[in-house]
């Protein structure tokens, strides 16, 4: 079946201003996602000083604080991914952003200022709601960008959207450092005893405002793009292939982009093309036997790879806040602002030196090297680094070799570089390219939700597996258990190499409409043939 001319025109369209506008509008959602998900580490340091009598937050509270937003994110990916296919991508796109903005402010306005149980419960509720909005943004942003992009640079455009996460991480660190510095300078010499949950703790009263301000600032980037997000037209692929309205799809694209269709599509021709797409919207359902035979392997590969990389990526970010301390002071002896400042500073260094460069290496190479090769390379090098860091970890953490912190930081930076110039980015791209239009957002949401479950497994598992028996007596996790965790993460990366090599198909240079052709083209004589014969071979 020949593709609709408007879709062929999109595949061949030159790079133009609307592509970059779509990257910014979609990317700012990912920017806000990263800001909100990663600013919680320094905020929890501040909360421990204010509400926990200068002691580390308990493992149960800490793991719940991290996991609650990720659980909301997983649920949001499933709900909004499904809605994106049922009612349209752009119809629910603004709702995700609105949820993020309101819940970010809600986190800052968490009720109570004296009872820590009340504060943490309120913060947990709003972060769960925040996760719903963040989760919805993942499948919708990836799907919208993939369906607007041309075939030649589609991977680079989706990677550019995802790369905004790096800027979000950097911004969350910069804002945290700026707020802490400003509040520290403004309140210099005015420390007073503040009552929190019936416990006396040395912390300025205004510190309770500082952490709330950090959380609320995360709403501003999303709010600034809300107007432009609401103006985005529905993607041509959804309108033409799911709503069966090729004429409207053509009009929408010609309104925002310069697309050339030769010969021009007459009004009567457009109506005659619409019935051709009818099989694409009614031939089989999600998770039917037909779907599983054609796309089951792809869904498994996308979900498994995302699960594995998020186990590594989110655990690594948690490790960053737990095992690094470049201050000359013992962490428990620093004031409320310095403790958060140190965590944010380390995160900013890693983001600027390895995370952001990794994203942009992917933007440059993704349509030159291919998704599968980059993903295998990233998993493999991360495995090597984890083994290199884990085997001699006791030496790295030796109290008599504090200078080893910087050498270990270099190794650790390589993990973040090859995570982003590797599977952390490619697992976001591939599900947006593998599935038919009417299932694309849903399948991306399922894959992403599997990833967030992996993040919860990694974070909660690490926190409980590496804690001291007397956790409150030491600020760092147990060295021997961290070493074992590193080795396990190396094994997870090796599993990612195997899943990618044996199950993941290359999508570079492949039209999204190839997914539609796969599903309706097999003749009756191939009814008993295995799905491998129907799918395009891995390149």
């Amino acid at each position: 079946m020949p593709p609709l001319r408007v879709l062929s025109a999109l595949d061949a369209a030159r790079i133009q201003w609307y592509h970059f506008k779509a990257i910014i509008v979609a990317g700012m959602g990912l920017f806000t996602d990263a800001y909100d998900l990663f600013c919680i580490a320094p905020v929890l340091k501040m909360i421990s000083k204010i509400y926990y009598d200068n002691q580390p937050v308990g493992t149960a509270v800490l793991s719940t604080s991290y996991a609650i937003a990720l659980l909301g994110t997983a649920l949001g990916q499933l709900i909004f991914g499904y809605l994106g296919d049922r009612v349209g991508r752009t119809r629910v796109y603004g709702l995700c952003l609105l949820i993020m903005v309101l819940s970010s402010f809600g986190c800052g306005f968490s009720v109570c200022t004296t009872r820590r149980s009340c504060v943490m419960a309120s913060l947990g509720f709003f972060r769960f709601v925040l996760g719903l909005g963040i989760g919805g943004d993942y499948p919708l942003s990836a799907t919208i960008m993939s369906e607007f992009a041309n075939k030649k640079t589609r991977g680079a455009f989706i990677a550019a959207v995802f790369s905004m996460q790096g800027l979000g991480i950097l911004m969350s660190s910069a804002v945290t450092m700026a707020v802490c510095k400003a509040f520290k300078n403004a309140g210099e010499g005015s420390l007073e005893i503040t009552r929190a949950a019936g416990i006396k703790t040395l912390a300025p009263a205004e510190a309770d405002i500082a952490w709330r301000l950090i959380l609320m600032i995360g709403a501003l980037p999303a709010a600034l793009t809300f107007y432009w997000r609401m103006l985005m037209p529905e993607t041509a692929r959804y309108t033409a292939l799911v709503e069966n309205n090729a004429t409207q799809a053509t009009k929408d694209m010609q309104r925002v982009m310069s697309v050339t269709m030769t010969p021009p599509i007459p009004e009567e021709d457009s109506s005659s093309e619409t019935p051709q797409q009818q099989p694409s919207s009614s031939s089989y359902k999600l998770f039917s036997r037909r779907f599983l035979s054609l796309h089951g392997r792809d869904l498994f590969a996308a979900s498994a790879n995302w699960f594995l990389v998020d186990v590594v990526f989110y655990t690594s970010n948690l490790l960053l806040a737990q095992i690094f301390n470049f201050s000359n002071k013992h962490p428990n002896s620093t004031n409320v602002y310095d403790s958060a400042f140190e965590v944010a500073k380390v995160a900013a260094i890693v983001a600027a030196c390895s995370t952001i460069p990794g994203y942009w290496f992917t933007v440059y190479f993704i349509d030159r090297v291919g998704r599968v090769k980059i993903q295998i390379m990233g998993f493999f090098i991360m495995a090597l680094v984890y083994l290199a860091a884990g085997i001699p970890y006791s030496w790295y953490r030796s109290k008599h070799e504090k200078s080893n912190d910087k050498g270990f930081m270099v190794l650790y930076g390589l993990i973040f570089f090859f995570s982003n110039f590797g599977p952390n980015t490619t697992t976001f791209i591939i599900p947006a390219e593998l599935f038919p239009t009417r299932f694309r957002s849903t399948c991306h949401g399922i894959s992403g939700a599997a990833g967030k479950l992996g993040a919860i497994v990694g974070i909660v598992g690490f926190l409980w597996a590496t804690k001291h028996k007397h956790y409150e007596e030491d600020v760092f996790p147990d060295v021997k258990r961290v070493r074992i965790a590193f080795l396990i993460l190396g094994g997870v990366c090796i599993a990612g190499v195997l899943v990618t090599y044996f199950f993941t198909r290359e999508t570079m240079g492949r039209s999204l409409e190839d997914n539609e052709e796969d599903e309706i083209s097999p003749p009756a004589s191939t009814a008993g043939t295995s799905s491998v014969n129907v799918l395009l071979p891995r390149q």
Side-chain angles (χ1 to χ4, degrees):
M1 181 190 71
L4 293 173
R5 272 169 278 190
V6 64
L7 306 185
S8 298
L10 280 175
D11 269 345
R14 59 181 175 80
I15 299 174
Q16 48 198 280
W17 163 244
Y18 192 78
H19 286 130
F20 295 103
K21 182 179 178 180
I23 288 172
I24 294 171
V25 173
M28 288 311 293
L30 274 297
F31 177 99
T32 305
D33 300 345
Y35 182 102
D36 289 323
L37 286 177
F38 291 99
C39 72
I40 193 64
V43 164
L44 286 175
K45 290 286 185 181
M46 299 180 74
I47 289 176
S48 72
K49 300 285 186 180
I50 300 169
Y51 294 101
Y52 286 84
D53 196 28
N54 199 30
Q55 295 299 319
V57 178
T59 303
V61 175
L62 194 62
S63 57
T64 302
S65 299
Y66 283 114
I68 193 72
L70 293 171
L71 185 61
T73 302
L75 189 59
Q77 286 172 314
L78 294 174
I79 293 173
F80 285 99
Y82 174 77
L83 291 176
D85 285 333
R86 292 290 294 177
V87 302
R89 286 78 159 108
T90 59
R91 289 184 178 92
V92 292
Y93 205 28
L95 178 59
C96 292
L97 204 66
L98 193 61
I99 291 174
M100 283 192 282
V101 171
L102 295 179
S103 55
S104 292
F105 281 115
C107 289
F109 285 110
S110 295
V111 297
C112 302
T113 58
T114 57
R115 295 179 57 193
R116 66 189 184 193
S117 59
C118 183
V119 171
M120 297 306 291
S122 177
L123 180 61
F125 170 76
F126 284 114
R127 282 189 62 77
F128 177 80
V129 178
L130 173 65
L132 292 175
I134 289 174
D137 207 68
Y138 273 76
L140 295 175
S141 291
T143 300
I144 287 171
M145 195 67 247
S146 71
E147 293 180 351
F148 272 123
N150 63 54
K151 181 168 62 175
K152 185 177 179 181
T153 59
R154 183 178 62 235
F157 286 159
I158 304 174
V161 169
F162 195 64
S163 71
M164 298 297 285
Q165 275 200 338
L167 298 178
I169 296 171
L170 184 62
M171 181 59 70
S172 72
S173 300
V175 168
T176 300
M177 290 189 289
V179 169
C180 288
K181 197 71 173 176
F183 273 75
K184 181 182 177 181
N185 291 339
E188 197 73 44
S190 64
L191 282 176
E192 60 183 64
I193 300 293
T194 302
R195 182 167 298 276
I199 301 173
K200 290 185 176 182
T201 176
L202 282 173
E206 60 270 16
D208 195 53
I209 300 175
W211 69 266
R212 297 170 186 270
L213 183 61
I214 292 169
L215 292 174
M216 288 192 289
I217 289 175
L220 297 180
L224 291 174
T225 60
F226 182 77
Y227 173 76
W228 288 277
R229 186 173 283 206
M230 296 303 294
L231 292 180
M232 293 183 76
E234 187 54 79
T235 68
R237 288 181 164 92
Y238 184 86
T239 304
L241 299 178
V242 179
E243 295 183 337
N244 296 309
N245 193 340
T247 303
Q248 186 61 46
T250 303
K251 291 178 180 178
D252 287 343
M253 289 305 98
Q254 289 179 332
R255 179 164 58 88
V256 297
M257 295 176 63
S258 174
V259 289
T260 304
M261 289 175 287
T262 306
I265 183 167
E267 198 69 31
E268 59 271 16
D269 285 353
S270 64
S271 62
S272 66
E273 286 191 80
T274 302
Q276 294 182 23
Q277 305 305 318
Q278 192 65 33
S280 176
S281 61
S282 60
S283 56
Y284 59 87
K285 297 182 181 299
L286 185 68
F287 295 131
S288 64
R289 183 177 299 179
R290 179 72 169 149
F291 172 87
L292 293 176
S293 70
L294 293 173
H295 306 291
R297 185 186 75 168
D298 292 334
L299 187 58
F300 164 77
S303 300
N305 283 320
W306 208 329
F307 178 93
L308 294 171
V309 73
D310 273 8
V311 169
V312 175
F313 184 75
Y314 282 85
T315 305
S316 298
N317 275 284
L318 176 62
L319 278 165
L320 198 65
Q322 295 289 314
I323 66 177
F324 284 108
N325 174 41
F326 290 145
S327 174
N328 292 325
K329 300 178 181 179
H330 191 277
N332 278 350
S333 68
T334 58
N335 65 45
V336 63
Y337 301 121
D338 288 342
S339 61
F341 188 95
E342 288 301 318
V343 172
K345 183 176 74 174
V346 174
I349 292 170
V350 172
C353 297
S354 60
T355 301
I356 294 174
Y359 281 122
W360 286 99
F361 264 67
T362 304
V363 171
Y364 182 80
F365 286 106
I366 191 72
D367 289 313
R368 292 172 169 84
V369 176
R371 289 75 162 139
V372 170
K373 290 180 181 177
I374 289 177
Q375 188 160 298
I376 290 176
M377 175 198 67
F379 269 130
F380 181 71
I381 295 180
M382 282 196 296
L384 294 181
V385 175
Y386 268 120
L387 295 177
I391 292 172
Y393 181 71
S394 298
W395 178 78
Y396 282 128
R397 291 306 316 169
S398 171
K399 295 180 180 179
H400 303 290
E401 298 284 350
K402 292 300 290 182
S403 60
N404 288 338
D405 271 345
K406 293 183 179 179
F408 185 68
M409 188 77 168
V410 172
L411 280 178
Y412 210 70
L414 290 175
I415 293 173
F416 284 97
F417 178 82
F418 285 103
S419 173
N420 294 302
F421 182 35
N424 190 45
T425 305
T426 54
T427 51
F428 180 80
I429 296 171
I430 292 174
E433 301 178 310
L434 274 178
F435 302 100
T437 304
R438 71 183 189 279
F439 299 137
R440 186 168 295 134
S441 179
T442 301
C443 291
H444 195 286
I446 293 170
S447 304
K452 293 302 167 282
L453 291 179
I456 294 172
V457 168
I459 286 177
V460 175
F462 170 80
L463 285 173
W464 284 95
T466 61
K467 74 167 186 171
H468 284 277
K469 292 182 180 178
H470 305 288
Y471 186 79
E472 60 278 353
E473 296 178 5
D474 202 326
V475 295
F476 295 115
D478 182 78
V479 171
K480 292 182 179 179
R481 294 183 180 184
V482 171
R483 178 175 178 270
I484 294 173
F486 274 148
L487 298 179
I488 291 174
L489 292 175
V492 170
C493 292
I494 292 173
V497 172
L498 297 176
V499 172
T500 302
Y501 181 79
F502 288 107
F503 296 100
T504 305
R505 291 191 296 148
E506 183 58 73
T507 56
M508 181 176 65
R510 188 170 182 256
S511 173
L512 295 180
E513 278 59 66
D514 289 345
N515 298 313
E516 317 297 329
E517 293 179 4
D518 283 347
E519 65 184 273
I520 63 176
S521 59
S525 60
T526 64
T529 307
S530 70
S531 61
V532 176
N533 294 326
V534 176
L535 293 167
L536 294 179
R538 180 167 57 84
Q539 297 177 358

